[in-house]
Amino acid sequence: MIKNALLSLKKNIGKTILLFVIIVVITNLVIAGLSIQSATKKSMDQIRSSLGNDVTLSVDFRNMIKNRKPSEAVSNETSLTTTMVDSLKDLKYVKNYNYQISTSANSNSISAVETASDNSNNQPEQASNQVDFTISANTTMKYLDSFTNNNYKLTKGRLLTTKDQNTNNCVIETNLASDNDLSVGDTFTITTTINDETITQELTIVGIYEIQSTNEIGSAHFNNPVNTIYTDLSIGQTLTGSSENITSAIYYLDDPENAEAFVELAKKKSDIDFDTFSLDANNRLYQQNASSLESMQSFAKMFVWIVVIAGSAILCLILALTIRNRYYEIGVLLSLGQSKVKIIAQQLIEVGLIAVVAFVISLGTGQLTSHYMGNMLESSSSSNVMQMGQKGDQPNDNQNQSDSNQQKNNTQTKENFLGNMIQGPSNQELDVSITGENVIQLAGVTAAICIVSIAVPAAYVLRLTPRQILSRKEG
């Protein structure tokens, strides 16, 4: 059969070339669609691992202002309690969590890092009465945005973890350490005033970090992140005079897609007043860009189906016309006792040999087609991404100063990451490279197209008897 198939291909060279060109076009388009599907899935996984897996519970001052009576003052003493936040930490979808307290302090033993803005003549006189340090008290520093996205880099020692609970350990910035000749293991004291009573707290340095992003440096005194001191949550409670109240709680979910489900579950399972407190699912940027990528993925999937169906139809038509010209050959073979299965098998071998060559060539040319189509899709979606970047994610009014800086910088990082990924600049294009999975899928699709394109016309002809086939012989 193979010998006869080769002779048939050589004899009908025009038909062979036509089938080869059509199958090459089909396989190129199919591999392009499959690679774009894989690329969008990979991009979504990257976004999912980088963005929007945290949900923040905090006081909703904007909602409180909205719901207040005319001329009624908004209480600034409303706080979350550990009882409230503990009611959510064990819910489904929660992988990790961090409680935060933001407060401020002065010190008689160390000096804050001063910037040009501190010495400006435009500063009001009361600026000199400002507190010097921001205290960011956390359950753990492991998941803080500025450290996970490498805007802040640990240079000495370690970050605080849950093992530092109820200790006086702290982490400070390298400029603050060098200005005060401090290193890991040294101690210093901070002070604050609660109800006219001065609270003094000794801290021990266990880690020193360096700010990598220079656009965060420059604010005055405690607003300057170099003057932020990270401590355990218990230190924040001591400095605020409350063992229950905290500023916010951040829940890190197993998947950002579960953010909305977690919010709904939290509202159902807890007694928290969500007119006063809000659960902010910080996944808006993920949802916006995931939607864009899902649309791209859906288009690629639909494109593959259209190519497969249209390609099969075209091949069926060509092979049907070819078989009509081979009525005499088929009739003679059947008359000589050749089985219908062998006749169909020979047709499959002929098309299969062409398809194998086309398949191998498409693995090379398909990469170019994939990049071309990927660039078109990136261009069509770039305007949407630019609009998202202009809107951005605004930090919540109820976030503390230090974490607002972290959120702002993290948001910029997210936007740059997505802009590079989807808009596809020269050094960060959408990754449409052909994978091993794509090759296997293409082989399966190509085989299916060949089988269908042969089976349909052959079934129509071979249902006839040899006499009927010979009587229909043309030319």
Side-chain angles (χ1 to χ4, degrees), residues 19-90:
L19 290 176
F20 173 76
V21 171
I22 292 174
I23 295 177
V24 165
V25 172
I26 292 172
T27 51
N28 271 269
L29 294 177
V30 169
I31 195 66
L34 293 174
S35 61
I36 291 173
Q37 277 186 272
S38 299
T40 52
K41 184 178 183 300
K42 188 187 301 181
S43 297
M44 290 175 69
D45 290 340
Q46 291 175 349
I47 297 175
R48 184 180 290 112
S49 64
S50 303
L51 303 175
N53 68 327
D54 57 296
V55 179
T56 302
L57 177 64
S58 55
V59 179
D60 192 346
F61 286 108
R62 281 184 290 186
N63 197 40
M64 291 173 64
I65 293 173
K66 179 181 178 181
N67 295 330
R68 70 186 176 90
K69 295 179 181 179
S71 302
E72 181 182 4
V74 177
S75 174
N76 60 0
E77 296 182 357
T78 304
S79 298
L80 284 170
T81 66
T82 53
T83 302
M84 292 180 188
V85 296
D86 282 344
S87 65
L88 304 183
K89 69 178 183 180
D90 295 322

Side-chain angles (χ1 to χ4, degrees), residues 283-295:
N283 67 337
R284 183 175 64 175
L285 195 60
Y286 166 78
Q287 293 295 342
Q288 288 173 329
N289 290 279
S291 176
S292 175
L293 288 171
E294 284 171 356
S295 298

Side-chain angles (χ1 to χ4, degrees), residues 323-392:
I323 288 177
R324 286 188 63 188
N325 292 327
R326 299 176 67 178
Y327 274 4
Y328 182 77
E329 176 188 344
I330 294 173
V332 171
L333 290 174
L334 289 173
S335 299
L336 295 175
Q338 185 81 282
S339 68
K340 295 181 178 180
V341 173
K342 288 187 177 182
I343 293 175
I344 294 176
Q346 181 177 328
Q347 299 289 325
L348 282 173
I349 291 173
E350 292 178 14
V351 176
L353 291 173
I354 298 173
V356 168
V357 178
F359 173 83
V360 173
I361 292 177
S362 67
L363 294 180
T365 58
Q367 187 73 64
L368 300 176
T369 307
S370 299
H371 280 294
Y372 177 75
M373 290 185 60
N375 289 335
M376 286 197 304
L377 291 173
E378 289 168 353
S379 298
S380 66
S381 62
S382 61
S383 59
N384 293 332
V385 176
M386 290 176 65
Q387 291 175 0
M388 294 175 196
Q390 290 171 356
K391 293 178 182 178

